[in-house]
Amino acid sequence: MEAPSNDKALSQASFWDERYSHADGSVPTHEWFRSFSALESFFNANLFSSPGHAPEDHPLIMHLGSGDSTIPVDLASRGYDRQLCVDFSSTIVNVMKQKHAQYGIEWRLMDVRDMKGMDDSSVDVAFDKGTLDAMIHGSPWSPPQEVKDNTSAYLREVHRVLKDNGRFLYITFRQPHFMKPLLNPEGLIWDVELQVLGDMGSFDYYGYLIRKKDVENSDVH
């Protein structure tokens, strides 16, 4: 993906509305970081084989900043029949609603930093592939206050809507030592399991299995 001259633009809906202005929902404008096939082993370990989160359990999967990724349709093909895709670009939400209505996937206009209309403890699985990263700019050693505010608001909302035994699956290219403080803003502590996704070339990606810290780790649905 070609980055804008100012990375701050990635956290603004207007950038994405323009980015998606020619999208038709058939081919992703950009499949952030990794495709479904490249993430299949990660999904096998952290979703498909997780008690309470298999297709037959009908978990609610929330795609955070879903854009025009194929991941929701790929998961629908595996039998996941309760999926909610949210994005703050009205352009892409409208496109995807029309294009993929037959899959029974719900697309909703929503800013992940303030998820109005989402009940507390209502989501079984939250998935992020590029959304948190789009809020990050500036020095990785000392992120600007805007970055801290945006990422903190987002993660608090994810924590709020996630069930006590839910799981937050996060994919990134950013180094773990830079992400640790952002993933754990003041007063919010997760149980974080890091998985290196380094099987495609020399450039490592990282997958995180993140769960609420204040409950015993249990996969019972």
Side-chain angles (χ1 to χ4, degrees):
M1 174 181 178
E2 62 274 15
S5 57
N6 187 346
D7 286 345
K8 291 175 66 175
L10 292 172
S11 64
Q12 300 170 9
S14 57
F15 171 83
W16 294 106
D17 281 336
E18 173 61 26
R19 175 82 180 184
Y20 292 130
S21 61
H22 301 294
D24 65 4
S26 299
V27 178
T29 304
H30 184 81
E31 187 69 71
W32 279 69
F33 302 158
R34 287 197 161 189
S35 65
F36 178 78
S37 60
L39 290 172
E40 194 158 2
S41 61
F42 178 78
F43 283 129
N44 278 330
N46 300 291
L47 182 61
F48 303 154
S49 63
S50 170
H53 300 102
E56 59 269 24
D57 299 308
H58 307 288
L60 175 60
I61 300 177
M62 187 177 195
H63 299 267
L64 300 154
S66 53
D68 59 357
S69 170
T70 70
I71 299 292
V73 173
D74 292 323
L75 289 178
S77 72
R78 292 297 188 96
Y80 287 96
D81 56 6
R82 297 180 64 221
Q83 296 189 75
L84 171 61
C85 300
V86 301
D87 204 287
F88 67 176
S89 168
S90 59
T91 299
I92 200 60
V93 168
N94 291 332
V95 167
M96 299 302 281
K97 274 184 179 180
Q98 297 175 22
K99 185 67 179 179
H100 297 301
Q102 73 270 27
Y103 294 100
I105 302 169
E106 181 182 0
W107 267 269
R108 194 183 299 180
L109 182 65
M110 186 180 295
D111 190 323
V112 297
R113 295 165 291 193
D114 185 11
M115 293 193 274
K116 292 184 177 70
M118 289 299 301
D119 292 336
D120 296 356
S121 303
S122 59
V123 174
D124 296 287
V125 179
F127 179 65
D128 177 333
K129 185 165 69 75
T131 298
L132 179 61
D133 293 73
M135 301 179 192
I136 302 172
H137 59 84
S139 169
W141 289 274
S142 182
Q145 188 61 44
E146 179 184 30
V147 170
K148 295 178 182 178
D149 291 344
N150 281 333
T151 57
S152 175
Y154 170 41
L155 290 165
R156 292 178 193 283
E157 280 291 87
V158 175
H159 192 278
R160 178 182 70 80
V161 304
L162 199 65
K163 290 182 179 179
D164 284 347
N165 64 337
R167 46 187 52 204
F168 175 28
L169 305 180
Y170 168 53
I171 307 296
T172 183
F173 69 93
R174 297 181 187 274
Q175 292 295 313
H177 54 280
F178 292 134
M179 290 308 304
K180 184 176 180 179
L182 292 178
L183 287 171
N184 290 286
E186 185 177 357
L188 184 66
I189 302 177
W190 298 99
D191 177 18
V192 179
E193 179 183 326
L194 172 65
Q195 301 166 32
V196 179
L197 310 178
D199 56 347
M200 291 185 65
S202 59
F203 189 81
D204 285 339
Y205 286 87
Y206 303 93
Y208 288 83
L209 169 59
I210 304 174
R211 290 171 286 193
K212 290 186 175 181
K213 185 73 169 181
D214 56 347
V215 296
E216 181 180 355
N217 289 339
S218 173
D219 288 320
V220 177
H221 190 59

